[in-house]
Amino acid sequence: MENEEKNTGLHLNKKTILGLCAILVVIMVFAGVLTQIVPRGEYCFYPDNTYRLADGAVVCIGEQDSVFTVDGKNKIGYKDYLARLKEYGISVVSYSDEGEIDLTGAEDLSEKIIDGTYHEINYKMPLWKVPASLVLVFGSENITTGIAIILFIVLIGGTFFILDERNILKYIMAVVIRKFENRKYILICVMIFICMLLSSTAGILEESVTLVPIAVAVALALGWDSLVGISISLIAVAFGFTAATFNPFNVVTVQKLAGVPVFSGLWLRLITFAVVYASLTAFVVLYAKKIEKNPEKSICRETDKELRDKFRLTDADTVLEDKSTAKATRAFLICISCVLLCIILDFALSLGGMLSMPGMAILFTVGGLVAGYKTGLRGKQLFGGFLKGVKTIAPAIPLIFFILAITYILSEGMIIHTILYKVYGLISDMPPFGAILLLFAFIVVLEFFIGSGTAKAFLVMPIVAPLASLVGISGNSVVLSFCMADGFTNLLYPTSGIMIIAIGLVNVSYGKWLKFTWKLFAIELIISIALMYFAVSINYA
């Protein structure tokens, strides 16, 4: 009984976790060095609730007691900040000075970077903040996101312990195997399409972590390896961002910031979706066939041994005949179906993940607890099992804090705007195709520092969009370039929390991850370059 309990739930290999932590420590040091040698600088930005009226006047309905940080560390008030903007030739009229303002048809400039206001600052982040960042990050604005991710993975650990212990995972696997045992590769095609579609339209990403253990279990039961499971879940979701069609986090945001009609240019994004889907599916199917034919060629063969034994399903008929497990599985799947409703509502109401993320966490957990209850777990047994599952995944928590610390160092070090300014200078003298390639490369590099697509858009687009227009690049070409660069790089760098957690769940090292994915990333890079060349050639609008 003790051995069975020990092998239940998600388990993180200590060697894998320590290896990932070591990589992140090296990146922390590297980020700290950059903050000392790269010139520090900043752009000015419009205050919150700033609008450009139809007559060209810029007005701000800001809070009079707002405080702004300038030159890296100095705090100034609302009036002083408007006066500072005036020194750069930017006239912003305070709402309180003019009385009632009609904002009909006004352009929202809130927190947009202002072109022409870059200046170097006499500020250098103290070196002691690099090692102390693991503590200082608790005072940053990113800590809320970090805590949300930690809570999310904790709930995953607790829920999967119950699903595994009560044979609900085995029941799901048995049903899938029964339906697809003679058409396994159709399952790959369907899974990739569904996951890509969800992220391409609704923008799910972090939520897909819950799919990884189930997809890996099914992949192993069907004779493949963990990497196939990750491919048909997390990678498919990330590539849906690459081939975004209606995604509110990159397409809608970037189109608004680029000044082009929202959802315009859909025809080429649909073609992009089809091309990316075909390339990813072909890559995964070929890899799966290779592993099925010769398991020795699996990159993660050694680390998969324990998981393969655990998820080997030799008693499918017995599992399927268990009525209590069948009822529990149906209850769990009903809760998961409600998650799709949350995603649809989130997208339809433009809530930006405020419903889908909590909905996934709550419904997934409730589904697991209800499923455990229906199989006979009660009281202390039910919640005790959940807590045991939490303990199995707890070693992943330090990884999140390391990633947050890196983000804190780069933000505190004041070098992001300097990099943006240098790229801005390079693009201005380039032909359209060269300029869009440089923009693409810049977004790929920026992903290392800033994972959020929306955050990158607000940082980059106010500067890049006008410049792109000047060198002959259409707004929708910029949108296409941004989406493709932001998409697959979500899984490229070790600063990606979602990727680190996913490979940690199946004990795959970062080195093995790159060994598996580099060809896929290279294929997507070639596709991206070809599509950008086409977009520039036809003046995609």
Side-chain angles (χ1 to χ4, degrees):
M1 179 67 72
E2 286 184 7
N3 288 335
E4 286 182 13
E5 189 176 272
K6 188 176 179 182
N7 291 323
T8 302
L10 301 171
H11 292 276
L12 300 173
N13 183 281
K14 290 182 180 179
K15 186 177 179 181
T16 301
I17 295 298
L18 289 174
L20 292 171
C21 284
I23 291 172
L24 293 173
V25 169
V26 171
I27 294 172
M28 278 180 62
V29 174
F30 173 68
V33 171
L34 283 181
T35 63
Q36 304 300 305
I37 62 176
V38 174
R40 276 69 60 196
E42 65 182 10
Y43 281 97
C44 295
F45 59 90
Y46 288 109
D48 197 18
N49 295 316
T50 300
Y51 302 88
R52 179 177 285 114
L53 305 181
D55 61 2
V58 178
V59 298
C60 179
I61 317 173
E63 298 289 337
Q64 299 295 310
D65 57 353
S66 297
V67 176
F68 299 84
T69 302
V70 298
D71 299 330
K73 56 184 177 181
N74 298 325
K75 306 286 186 181
I76 63 174
Y78 176 74
K79 292 288 187 181
D80 290 333
Y81 188 73
L82 295 189
R84 184 183 178 92
L85 292 183
K86 201 163 188 177
E87 293 175 6
Y88 287 98
I90 309 299
S91 178
V92 179
V93 179
S94 176
Y95 173 87
S96 61
D97 294 339
E98 295 295 320
E100 189 172 346
I101 302 289
D102 181 12
L103 296 179
T104 305
E107 177 188 358
D108 189 354
L109 301 176
S110 299
E111 298 184 355
K112 284 189 178 182
I113 287 177
I114 305 174
D115 189 15
T117 61
Y118 175 81
H119 53 281
E120 291 191 7
I121 58 178
N122 185 25
Y123 168 79
K124 185 177 286 189
M125 184 186 76
L127 273 174
W128 64 265
K129 285 191 173 184
V130 176
S133 59
L134 288 167
V135 176
L136 295 173
V137 72
F138 282 92
S140 72
E141 59 183 17
N142 289 324
I143 191 62
T144 304
T145 303
I147 290 174
I149 293 173
I150 289 170
L151 180 61
F152 199 56
I153 64 173
V154 161
L155 293 175
I156 290 172
T159 302
F160 267 96
F161 187 92
I162 293 173
L163 296 178
D164 194 5
E165 184 185 43
R166 309 308 292 178
N167 284 331
I168 294 162
L169 273 181
K170 280 192 174 183
Y171 190 92
I172 294 172
M173 290 160 52
V175 170
V176 171
I177 290 171
R178 182 65 61 85
K179 288 184 177 296
F180 290 95
E181 58 185 345
N182 296 320
R183 27 182 199 157
K184 294 191 290 187
Y185 295 99
I186 291 178
L187 175 64
I188 290 179
C189 298
V190 171
M191 280 291 296
I192 291 176
F193 180 79
I194 291 173
C195 288
M196 277 190 62
L197 186 66
L198 284 172
S199 61
S200 175
T201 55
I204 72 162
L205 182 59
E206 288 83 0
E207 298 91 331
S208 63
V209 174
T210 55
L211 296 175
V212 172
I214 296 175
V216 167
V218 170
L220 292 173
L222 289 172
W224 301 320
D225 66 7
S226 294
L227 293 171
V228 174
I230 296 179
S231 297
I232 62 177
S233 53
L234 182 64
I235 292 180
V237 168
F239 277 42
F241 263 76
T242 299
T245 50
F246 301 105
N247 190 323
F249 302 112
N250 51 14
V251 171
V252 175
T253 300
V254 177
Q255 285 189 324
K256 285 180 177 178
L257 292 172
V260 298
V262 173
F263 300 135
S264 63
L266 179 60
W267 66 273
L268 185 54
R269 292 200 302 279
L270 289 173
I271 292 174
T272 301
F273 184 94
V275 173
V276 172
Y277 169 75
S279 63
L280 176 58
T281 302
F283 178 87
V284 177
V285 166
L286 289 173
Y287 179 78
K289 285 186 174 181
K290 182 178 76 171
I291 299 307
E292 188 175 355
K293 184 178 180 181
N294 188 356
E296 301 289 329
K297 291 186 177 181
S298 172
I299 298 170
C300 54
R301 180 172 174 271
E302 291 301 319
T303 53
D304 270 353
K305 278 183 178 178
E306 186 178 337
L307 287 174
R308 197 177 294 280
D309 290 338
K310 178 179 177 180
F311 292 125
R312 181 173 286 116
L313 195 62
T314 56
D315 54 348
D317 291 334
T318 303
V319 172
L320 290 173
E321 288 171 2
D322 190 321
K323 293 182 179 180
S324 65
T325 305
K327 290 179 181 178
T329 304
R330 279 196 291 272
F332 176 70
L333 292 178
I334 287 171
C335 287
I336 295 300
S337 299
C338 290
V339 171
L340 294 176
L341 179 61
C342 288
I343 292 171
I344 293 169
L345 288 174
D346 195 299
F347 175 68
L349 300 175
S350 300
L351 297 178
M354 292 179 64
L355 180 60
S356 62
M357 277 289 283
M360 169 68 86
I362 294 169
L363 288 167
F364 191 79
T365 305
V366 169
L369 292 173
V370 170
Y373 183 86
K374 284 187 173 292
T375 58
L377 289 180
R378 297 289 185 275
K380 289 183 179 180
Q381 279 187 313
L382 181 60
F383 291 100
F386 187 86
L387 289 175
K388 288 174 186 175
V390 170
K391 290 178 183 177
T392 64
I393 204 168
I397 293 175
L399 297 173
I400 300 300
F401 284 115
F402 275 116
I403 292 168
L404 290 174
I406 293 166
T407 304
Y408 172 84
I409 291 168
L410 293 168
S411 175
E412 183 73 11
M414 304 292 293
I415 61 173
I416 299 296
H417 283 194
T418 300
I419 297 170
L420 178 60
Y421 175 72
K422 296 297 183 183
V423 173
Y424 177 88
L426 289 172
I427 290 178
S428 59
D429 297 325
M430 286 189 164
F433 183 56
I436 200 169
L437 283 181
L438 186 60
L439 171 60
F440 176 85
F442 177 54
I443 300 299
V444 167
V445 172
L446 197 59
E447 176 72 26
F448 180 88
F449 305 106
I450 304 171
S452 168
T454 303
K456 284 197 295 289
F458 275 99
L459 176 66
V460 172
M461 295 311 296
I463 300 295
V464 169
L467 180 62
S469 178
L470 289 175
V471 297
I473 302 174
S474 68
N476 269 319
S477 294
V478 173
V479 175
L480 182 69
S481 175
F482 184 95
C483 291
M484 290 188 296
D486 173 65
F488 69 84
T489 51
N490 276 311
L491 304 180
L492 177 60
Y493 302 118
T495 49
S496 166
I498 186 77
M499 181 270 289
I500 288 292
I501 294 302
I503 65 175
L505 289 175
V506 293
N507 298 322
V508 173
S509 68
Y510 182 61
K512 288 182 178 178
W513 172 252
L514 289 182
K515 187 177 180 181
F516 171 68
T517 56
W518 78 266
K519 291 180 182 178
L520 182 58
F521 290 153
I523 291 169
E524 296 309 316
L525 175 62
I526 293 170
I527 290 173
S528 298
I529 292 172
L531 287 168
M532 285 187 290
Y533 180 78
F534 177 72
V536 170
S537 299
I538 65 169
N539 193 30
Y540 169 48

